[in-house]
């Protein structure tokens, strides 16, 4: 069974930094992409950043130049370095991974449980 475990959320002052981690474990065959999404109450979940198996990255316009997504393929782990944080970055951040696993041989998206990021003075 595949699991995604996130860590690194918390409370930070405006202008500060946080680093989120997402570790995928289980009977994984291949990870095609890993990404971070965020959601606030009353709003739809939105893509923050995504990294593909060839290291191509994609970012929401609102975080370009401030956030950096990276990946350690040996550890099946993705990271989101968030700098110059703003109050509007406050949200629940969830990790996703598009992967194939040995139990089903089906390629699909898995989700982590989410971690709260709060930017406030």
């Amino acid at each position: 069974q595949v699991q995604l475990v996130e860590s690194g959320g918390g409370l930070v002052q405006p202008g500060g930094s946080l680093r989120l981690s997402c570790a995928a474990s289980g009977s994984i065959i291949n990870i095609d992409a890993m990404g971070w999404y965020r959601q606030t109450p009353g709003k739809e979940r939105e893509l923050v950043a995504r990294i593909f198996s060839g290291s191509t990255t994609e970012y929401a316009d609102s975080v370009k130049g401030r956030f950096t997504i990276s990946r350690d393929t040996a550890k099946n782990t993705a990271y989101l370095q968030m700098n110059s944080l703003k109050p509007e970055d406050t949200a629940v951040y969830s990790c996703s991974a598009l992967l194939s696993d040995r139990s089903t041989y089906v390629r699909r998206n898995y989700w982590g449980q989410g971690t709260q990021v709060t930017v406030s003075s």
Side-chain angles (χ1 to χ4, degrees), residues 18-79:
L18 281 176
R19 189 194 194 206
L20 304 182
S21 299
C22 172
S25 63
S27 55
I28 297 169
I29 297 173
N30 184 61
I31 299 178
D32 296 310
M34 296 186 77
W36 291 94
Y37 292 74
R38 67 187 181 187
Q39 189 170 22
T40 55
K43 292 188 177 181
E44 291 188 359
R45 183 166 55 194
E46 63 172 354
L47 172 69
V48 177
R50 189 162 47 186
I51 185 166
F52 298 90
S53 57
S55 297
T56 300
T57 57
E58 178 183 6
Y59 294 94
D61 288 341
S62 59
V63 307
K64 284 180 181 177
R66 299 188 298 123
F67 291 11
T68 302
I69 189 169
S70 60
R71 181 177 162 184
D72 185 332
T73 54
K75 296 181 179 179
N76 287 336
T77 298
Y79 306 95

Side-chain angles (χ1 to χ4, degrees), residues 90-111:
T90 296
V92 174
Y93 285 69
S94 298
C95 173
S96 74
L98 179 63
L99 60 86
S100 305
D101 74 278
R102 289 186 175 84
S103 62
T104 65
Y105 290 91
V106 173
R107 180 170 168 263
R108 71 174 184 91
N109 218 38
Y110 290 83
W111 290 92

